[in-house]
Amino acid sequence: MTETATPLNEATKLIAAGFDLASIEDVISAEVQLKRNGSPLPIFVTIAGPEHPNRKAFAFAKQRRMRQQLAKTGKVEFTDPVEDEQEETDLLAACLLGWRDANGNTALLVGGHYLDCTRDNAHKLLTDPKRAWFRRAVRAAFDDNEAFIVASVTG
């Protein structure tokens, strides 16, 4: 009987090496450098991760509304796209925990004025038609799940 060796793929190599699941963990928030057309910008934002209370509160509230509507009518009702955009803006503004420029300034220069990272200022920037690129960049950072997974310092 001839035995055939099976080539090890990367995941199998990690398991064979004694990979410890505790060596990777989720973080509650992450600082992400914004990009435009794939090029890094001198702007960094701190985004609430999937396990952050702000983000979870929005997700749970939306699920509750949908379940209440379903229980009430027996049907799934679709919301207006304008309401969807407003809800997404509220979510992004609540999850935008901070920002800074490449020099460490925590107020961003916008049209000659410095803006601190407040929910109201975030909301203004996220809804400014001339700053749609900013909204797309923040949304991309928000959707980057890998940004919220890091090597464990204890694992």
Side-chain angles (χ1 to χ4, degrees):
M1 176 195 232
T2 306
E3 292 186 29
T4 306
T6 305
L8 298 177
N9 64 27
E10 289 305 309
T12 306
K13 288 177 187 175
L14 288 173
I15 292 168
F19 176 75
D20 186 349
L21 189 64
S23 67
I24 301 173
E25 61 186 28
D26 285 56
V27 291
I28 200 141
S29 63
E31 183 177 78
V32 179
Q33 185 171 15
L34 295 186
K35 294 179 182 177
R36 183 175 169 271
N37 298 328
S39 298
L41 295 169
I43 301 169
F44 299 82
V45 294
T46 302
I47 302 281
E51 297 302 315
H52 192 282
N54 290 8
R55 197 159 166 176
K56 289 180 104 169
F58 267 83
F60 293 156
K62 184 174 186 171
Q63 290 171 5
R64 284 186 195 100
R65 285 191 306 274
M66 291 175 67
R67 289 176 181 180
Q68 288 170 350
Q69 186 63 39
L70 184 60
K72 181 179 175 182
T73 65
K75 299 184 230 175
V76 174
E77 294 187 14
F78 295 98
T79 55
D80 184 274
V82 172
E83 291 174 17
D84 293 343
E85 183 176 29
Q86 290 169 347
E87 184 174 310
E88 180 184 78
T89 301
D90 292 342
L91 171 63
L92 292 174
C95 292
L96 194 50
L97 304 176
W99 55 45
R100 68 174 181 85
D101 65 18
N103 296 319
N105 299 314
T106 58
L108 295 181
L109 184 60
V110 181
H113 299 84
Y114 284 95
L115 291 181
D116 291 319
C117 186
T118 65
R119 201 175 280 197
D120 285 342
N121 286 342
H123 204 277
K124 287 175 191 171
L125 284 177
L126 292 166
T127 56
D128 182 348
K130 292 182 179 180
R131 311 287 165 260
W133 66 265
F134 179 78
R135 181 190 184 95
R136 287 189 299 272
V138 169
R139 183 66 208 207
F142 180 87
D143 290 337
D144 182 10
N145 287 328
E146 290 297 316
F148 306 103
I149 302 171
V150 298
S152 173
V153 293
T154 59

